[in-house]
Amino acid sequence: MNINYLYSISVPFTVVSNVSSGKMITFLLEPIISADFEGISHKNFRFNTALFYRVSNRNGSTCGVGVAATKRFSGFLIVPVLLFNIKYSDKWLLSGSFPLKQKLSYCIDNKKQIGINLGAGNNSFRLSKAKENRYINTQQFGAGCFYQ
């Protein structure tokens, strides 16, 4: 089987609701088309969804818990998620969602940051009828340095 290109197009929708002072609930729904785009049908659609509860404290740090679910072509994947945005000082910030994406930043000044990020993800692609409507599941891991 010769597979040259796989594509994924998504549109995330997010709703954030403040429950009380410093507490919020976030809902995410992300419909996705993932395929080799040699023939698109309703079978190429899948989705990600998540629900999170976050609490902020006085120093600007936040933490939370949630669950993320993805509908892959091979079935459902459900992942518990820990959210964090922890200020260790005026300069250091650890943020992200474990086990999905984490970032450690150092603030050089009000507009510039440097740091490292780590991320894990997965995707699922439906192949065309010429490839017998098979699917491919992928898992990715990324790491990088940034300056912004």
Side-chain angles (χ1 to χ4, degrees):
M1 183 178 338
N2 185 11
I3 301 169
N4 294 318
Y5 302 101
L6 297 173
Y7 301 96
S8 189
I9 298 172
S10 66
V11 180
F13 299 96
T14 305
V15 176
V16 178
S17 176
N18 287 324
V19 178
S20 65
S21 178
K23 297 176 183 173
M24 64 182 77
I25 294 176
T26 303
F27 175 73
L28 167 81
L29 178 64
E30 181 181 27
I32 304 167
I33 301 173
S34 295
D36 57 7
F37 279 61
E38 291 180 15
I40 300 295
S41 74
H42 68 281
K43 294 179 181 179
N44 298 100
F45 285 89
R46 57 185 206 80
F47 65 89
N48 292 332
T49 188
L51 183 64
F52 303 111
Y53 175 73
R54 290 187 288 182
V55 177
S56 299
N57 63 20
R58 289 184 178 92
N59 71 355
S61 295
T62 61
C63 62
V65 295
V67 63
T70 182
K71 169 35 176 104
R72 297 164 49 126
F73 295 117
S74 59
F76 282 92
L77 178 64
I78 299 173
V79 178
V81 179
L82 297 175
L83 304 172
F84 51 90
N85 188 354
I86 303 168
K87 293 182 178 182
Y88 288 104
S89 69
D90 290 341
K91 299 285 185 180
W92 288 99
L93 175 68
L94 179 64
S95 61
S97 56
F98 182 81
L100 305 173
K101 295 180 182 176
Q102 304 86 39
K103 179 169 76 170
L104 178 63
S105 308
Y106 178 78
C107 296
I108 298 169
D109 60 31
N110 289 340
K111 295 183 180 181
K112 297 177 186 169
Q113 291 181 346
I114 60 171
I116 59 172
N117 53 34
L118 303 171
N122 70 75
N123 207 338
S124 186
F125 299 91
R126 172 77 64 188
L127 303 178
S128 62
K129 287 184 181 180
K131 296 178 182 79
E132 301 172 9
N133 282 325
R134 294 183 180 170
Y135 58 86
I136 294 176
N137 289 325
T138 63
Q139 286 76 36
Q140 305 92 21
F141 176 78
C145 299
F146 66 88
Y147 171 79
Q148 57 187 26

